[in-house]
Amino acid sequence: MEAGVSISGKETSHIEKGLMILLGIEETDSESDIQWLCGKIVGLRIFDDSEGVMNNSILQIPNGEILLVSQFTLLASTKKGNRPSYIRAAKPQNAKPLYDKFVEELSIAFGKSVKTGVFGADMQVSLVNDGPVTIIIDSKNKE
């Protein structure tokens, strides 16, 4: 797995092995959602162990890294018509503080700094997915 973020042709973040997280923040999200998501992310056993079984978390991966990118388009609703609606997405003035808190809390849970994109920037995001393994985690669907 490899991932990176570039802005205006210049790479701003890059990881070689670990997790690429695309984060969409809803208007109804709160710090309790952040806490739950951070715990879930670092505990998720999605990396192969020595037997080739998905049994290890990011905390058990030597030199593992996390790249976090804000991505409001994840919240697109396509129920009506052909133009996506982003009505559920938090406005930037509400989303940015939650994004910053998410970076802080995820770094604490991970035990080292999380790499990031730039909130609100026009980013070019690259990902070479291993497997591929792509998982959606929704803090509104904890049950």
Side-chain angles (χ1 to χ4, degrees):
M1 181 272 167
E2 181 179 348
V5 174
S6 296
I7 299 172
S8 299
K10 182 179 180 203
E11 188 171 71
T12 58
S13 288
H14 183 87
I15 63 171
E16 293 291 326
K17 185 176 186 179
L19 296 173
M20 157 75 124
I21 299 170
L22 300 174
L23 178 67
I25 299 175
E26 291 186 30
E27 272 302 328
T28 59
D29 284 339
S30 67
E31 288 195 24
S32 67
D33 293 299
I34 290 170
Q35 295 295 325
W36 183 83
L37 283 167
C38 289
K40 181 61 80 174
I41 288 167
V42 299
L44 204 59
R45 295 173 17 189
I46 57 172
F47 294 94
D48 287 350
D49 62 15
S50 60
E51 304 295 319
V53 176
M54 292 173 98
N55 210 17
N56 290 333
S57 74
I58 187 67
L59 299 173
Q60 298 164 297
I61 302 304
N63 303 316
E65 299 177 283
I66 296 176
L67 174 58
L68 176 69
V69 176
S70 62
Q71 188 71 35
F72 80 94
T73 59
L74 289 172
L75 300 167
S77 173
T78 57
K79 289 182 180 181
K80 293 182 181 180
N82 293 318
R83 184 175 183 178
S85 169
Y86 302 103
I87 195 84
R88 291 180 25 225
K91 304 292 182 267
Q93 63 270 24
N94 297 332
K96 177 74 165 96
L98 285 174
Y99 171 81
D100 291 340
K101 183 70 172 172
F102 194 95
V103 172
E104 177 186 336
E105 293 298 323
L106 188 56
S107 294
I108 291 168
F110 185 40
K112 55 185 170 181
S113 293
V114 170
K115 294 184 179 181
T116 66
V118 176
F119 185 90
D122 182 6
M123 296 175 277
Q124 291 72 53
V125 180
S126 62
L127 170 65
V128 177
N129 209 347
D130 186 13
V133 175
T134 305
I135 298 171
I136 297 170
I137 304 173
D138 185 350
S139 65
K140 303 298 188 239
N141 192 11
K142 296 176 190 167
E143 305 285 320

